[in-house]
Amino acid sequence: MNQTVKCLVWDLDDTLWGGVVLEGDAPAPFPAAVRTLHTLDERGILHAVASRGHHDTAAAHLDAVGLADMFCAVEVGWGDKSAAVRRIAGTLGIGPDTLAFVDNDPVERAEVAHTLPQVRCYDAVQVGELPTRAEFQPPFVTDESRRRRGMYQAEHRRAAAEKDWDQPDTDFLASLDLVLTLRSAGEDDLARAHELTVRTHQLNSTGITYGMAELRALCHDDGYQVTVAELSDRFGSYGTIGLAVTRLTDTESVLELLLMSCRVVSRGVGAVLLDHLVRTALAAGRRPVAELVPTPVNRIMLVTLRFGGFEIVRRDADRMLLAADPARLPPARPGHVHVDDRTGVPR
């Protein structure tokens, strides 16, 4: 319950606005509610709706008052509010313990609190003060945080398009116009890079957790290259989804950490990033080397490295050292992902 709220779920009538839309009212939103919506949105906190009434009527009024785009999920109907909140958690792919719920009706709040005790509940009269509460103040607010709502909405459109796709999956990937943008990590990337090292387990080669101070030092160390990867397609951005920390010597390029968000594993970008790092190392006259610390959940990283042309050259008690033989590299990957290299690293 100490972690930051990731999504605030709103009741509508007499909470976001005064009056009942289904009874013919056309109320303006409360100014304090609008301020809270925008303040939390700037911090990367999402908004959703769990309200009683007719969905199309409520959605039309949200659109009429210019707030429809602020919400990443809208659940309006006559069932239990707790069920709607649970569906919102599933839609957004986040845990109920990261949700908060605001409603003017104490009975509705009690029902949600009883069924989902991990969801924090607030009276509508508290709406204006919510941004001042600790649970609504993320430790870091980055440019990516401010774009979070847009990324979730893009994912919703992407998922709908994939569901309706009736051709081979490979054709759908090709239709996305995927672009993997690589850049040397800067100050604005440190918070997200740190978050990736903490949260990514399956697609993580060594499990090293870097603090922001460590990452900052590596970024300023000529003996290291810290690369962040951002993915986008025709629907929008996935955000920063990958990180590579490479130690450079006169003869070797040693990949000390390679990780990729599990959200994009189906897009095949992990292998594309690895291929790019290998060919960049070879172009600079360095031998591509990678460290791997096997865990119960990251076997996919070993498979990725082996398919990328890496062979095990040393095996210790808790780690492996692999190297790529330039003469035995696999063919170039299918070109469904365009790589936009902005690192400035000589190739």
Side-chain angles (χ1 to χ4, degrees):
M1 295 294 284
N2 293 325
Q3 63 181 310
T4 305
V5 170
K6 292 183 179 178
C7 177
L8 177 58
V9 182
W10 294 72
D11 172 50
L12 294 179
D13 295 332
D14 294 321
T15 298
L16 181 60
W17 50 58
V20 180
V21 172
L22 194 59
E23 294 178 357
D25 296 337
F30 294 122
V34 174
R35 286 194 297 271
T36 292
L37 277 168
H38 288 287
T39 299
L40 299 186
D41 181 67
E42 281 288 310
R43 297 175 185 174
I45 296 174
L46 305 174
H47 296 289
V49 169
S51 190
R52 295 198 179 281
H54 185 265
H55 181 280
D56 291 348
T57 302
H61 192 62
L62 282 171
D63 188 54
V65 297
L67 294 178
D69 194 50
M70 295 296 296
F71 296 93
C72 293
V74 176
E75 293 277 346
V76 179
W78 301 106
D80 289 343
K81 292 282 185 75
S82 62
V85 171
R86 199 189 302 274
R87 287 193 297 272
I88 288 167
T91 297
L92 300 180
I94 58 180
D97 59 331
T98 65
L99 293 177
F101 174 66
V102 60
D103 196 306
N104 69 295
D105 189 333
V107 175
E108 301 285 19
R109 296 197 304 273
E111 189 273 326
V112 171
H114 174 76
T115 308
L116 298 171
Q118 62 271 59
V119 175
R120 284 158 280 195
C121 297
Y122 303 91
D123 191 329
V125 298
Q126 298 175 276
V127 160
E129 71 179 58
L130 293 184
T132 68
R133 300 180 66 98
E135 60 268 34
F136 291 94
Q137 299 183 43
F140 306 103
V141 177
T142 66
D143 180 62
E144 184 158 323
S145 301
R146 299 181 186 97
R147 294 188 288 131
R148 185 163 290 138
R149 169 168 53 94
M151 290 190 288
Y152 270 84
Q153 291 170 337
E155 180 58 30
H156 179 76
R157 296 190 297 270
R158 190 179 292 122
E162 188 168 11
K163 182 179 179 180
D164 293 340
W165 191 262
D166 59 359
Q167 300 176 48
D169 291 346
T170 52
D171 291 348
F172 179 74
L173 285 178
S175 77
L176 288 175
D177 299 327
L178 288 159
V179 177
L180 184 67
T181 301
L182 307 179
R183 61 180 183 274
S184 297
E187 187 66 29
D188 289 343
D189 298 305
L190 298 182
R192 174 57 176 160
H194 164 67
E195 182 184 40
L196 281 170
T197 69
V198 172
R199 297 182 60 183
T200 306
H201 304 291
Q202 289 182 302
L203 301 178
N204 187 323
S205 61
T206 57
I208 296 174
T209 300
Y210 290 104
M212 288 183 61
E214 293 174 287
L215 286 167
R216 185 178 292 109
L218 291 175
C219 290
H220 291 90
D221 188 333
D222 291 339
Y224 277 85
Q225 170 64 29
V226 182
T227 303
V228 293
E230 181 173 348
L231 187 67
S232 62
D233 63 17
R234 61 187 174 91
F235 293 101
S237 176
Y238 295 76
T240 301
I241 46 79
L243 176 70
V245 178
T246 308
R247 177 166 50 85
L248 305 175
T249 73
D250 290 341
T251 59
E252 292 184 332
S253 177
V254 184
L255 195 56
E256 294 189 348
L257 175 67
L258 175 66
L259 61 81
M260 186 70 57
S261 170
C262 296
R263 292 187 296 113
V264 297
V265 64
S266 65
R267 301 302 185 237
V269 294
V272 173
L273 174 59
L274 181 62
D275 284 355
H276 184 81
L277 294 171
V278 166
R279 298 180 194 284
T280 299
L282 292 173
R286 295 187 175 97
R287 178 193 189 206
V289 177
E291 296 180 355
L292 178 73
V293 176
T295 72
V297 297
N298 77 344
R299 180 172 173 77
I300 189 173
M301 292 304 296
L302 176 59
V303 173
T304 299
L305 288 165
R306 294 299 300 272
F307 272 101
F310 283 79
E311 299 290 339
I312 300 172
V313 297
R314 190 173 74 240
R315 192 192 299 262
D316 297 326
D318 63 345
R319 71 176 52 226
M320 300 177 184
L321 188 70
L322 302 94
D325 182 349
R328 302 180 63 182
L329 291 181
R333 308 280 173 165
H336 71 279
V337 181
H338 170 72
V339 178
D340 180 6
D341 188 349
R342 302 182 185 181
T343 61
V345 176
R347 298 182 55 201

